[in-house]
Amino acid sequence: MWGFGIFLIIAAFIAGVGILVFGMGRGKEGAALGVFVLLFGVGVIFLSVIQVPVGNVGVVLRFGATTGDIKMPGLNSKSPVDKIELMNIQTQKFEAEAGAASRDLQDVATTVAINYKLEAKNAVEVYRTLGQGYIEKIAHPAIQEIVKEITAKYDAGDLILKRSEVKEAISKTLLARLTERGITTEIVNITNFQFSEVFTKSIESKVAAVQSAMEAENKLVQVKVEAQQAEARAIGMANAAIAEATGQAKAITIVTEAQLA
């Protein structure tokens, strides 16, 4: 991490102190020279040390161009002419709204939220090609394009019934798109599918009609069952009456025959 850079820093500091001590013994001019060298050494130290916060990496820039070097979290040495651009490598959240049309030409509005992070090894290339606002430059247009592409493959009703399938298709495509640019996608959430007010009302009316039809059918089935039950009871009562009458007739015949005998 430190290497030759820290050696130069320490050497500059020691040289400055030495010249200051030596110069003080040689009068005002020597002391002034010693102070100048010491201040110069302190300035070099100040410009040559950088602390990279936890959760970040430092992309090294020299005269505005990336050098290809990365500074990891902690205290680092650098060239006094270098600038360090911090890049967050923690998990972050990005959310975007997208509009599209279903296969049956119904307008659909959806919100896609992703949890993503930048891999340290990709920080230099991402900064070089996209800069600090990389996620907005890549994820926002990608979400718009992918949602339109996937949504157009489904009817509006299927977007509701096959929500998990649609989410998986969007997630898989978006993950591949961001991975190509060095961005790792951890989670993709589709928070809602919102349709036009006209379509929503038509769906509600259709659901209400289906429910009414089911209720009517259930009532019809209930009436049929009750009629069948009543018929069965009537047949049973009739059969019981016939059996009773038959029994009584047989009893009368037996008694009559006995009396005649």
Side-chain angles (χ1 to χ4, degrees):
M1 182 185 296
W2 289 83
F4 187 65
I6 193 59
F7 171 77
L8 290 178
I9 293 171
I10 296 174
F13 181 76
I14 293 175
V17 173
I19 292 174
L20 176 61
V21 173
F22 176 76
M24 291 178 67
R26 299 183 62 83
K28 293 182 178 180
E29 292 182 357
L33 176 62
V35 170
F36 173 78
V37 173
L38 181 60
L39 292 176
F40 177 79
V42 171
V44 170
I45 293 173
F46 179 78
L47 294 174
S48 301
V49 176
I50 182 71
Q51 182 176 0
V52 177
V54 174
N56 294 266
V57 293
V59 175
V60 182
L61 304 179
R62 185 169 297 162
F63 306 117
T66 57
T67 66
D69 294 334
I70 295 177
K71 300 298 183 182
M72 301 305 290
L75 200 60
N76 294 265
S77 66
K78 69 179 186 67
S79 169
V81 299
D82 289 346
K83 177 184 176 182
I84 305 300
E85 192 73 31
L86 297 179
M87 298 288 282
N88 193 320
I89 56 173
Q90 295 175 317
T91 297
Q92 302 179 77
K93 181 179 180 180
F94 178 80
E95 188 173 271
E97 295 182 354
S102 61
R103 186 167 57 187
D104 52 352
L105 302 180
Q106 295 296 331
D107 292 332
V108 183
T110 186
T111 302
V112 178
I114 63 173
N115 286 357
Y116 71 95
K117 69 176 181 179
L118 175 66
E119 297 292 342
K121 63 182 181 180
N122 299 322
V124 173
E125 182 64 17
V126 169
Y127 181 82
R128 186 184 69 81
T129 57
L130 299 171
Q132 285 285 7
Y134 63 90
I135 193 64
E136 177 69 29
K137 295 175 183 177
I138 291 298
H140 191 274
I143 288 173
Q144 305 300 316
E145 180 183 344
I146 291 169
V147 168
K148 285 182 173 63
E149 176 187 344
I150 301 300
T151 300
K153 297 179 181 179
Y154 295 86
D155 290 336
D158 289 336
L159 291 175
I160 299 173
L161 299 175
K162 299 179 180 179
R163 182 186 180 92
S164 59
E165 179 181 321
V166 176
K167 175 186 174 182
E168 183 179 356
I170 292 176
S171 300
K172 185 177 179 179
T173 309
L174 183 59
L175 186 149
R177 185 74 59 85
L178 296 182
T179 299
E180 290 177 355
R181 303 306 298 267
I183 303 168
T184 299
T185 305
E186 297 179 339
I187 300 175
V188 177
N189 287 319
I190 299 175
T191 56
N192 72 327
F193 273 115
Q194 186 173 351
F195 301 92
S196 66
E197 184 177 353
V198 174
F199 179 75
T200 301
K201 288 183 177 179
S202 69
I203 289 294
E204 292 174 350
S205 299
K206 184 181 294 185
V207 171
V210 170
Q211 290 178 340
S212 298
M214 290 179 62
E215 290 176 359
E217 184 177 354
N218 290 336
K219 289 181 179 179
L220 179 60
V221 170
Q222 183 179 357
V223 169
K224 288 181 177 179
V225 170
E226 291 176 350
Q228 290 173 352
Q229 290 175 343
E231 181 181 1
R233 285 196 298 269
I235 292 173
M237 292 175 63
N239 290 338
I242 292 172
E244 183 180 0
T246 302
Q248 291 177 351
K250 286 183 178 181
I252 293 173
T253 301
I254 293 171
V255 171
T256 301
E257 290 177 351
Q259 291 177 347
L260 294 175

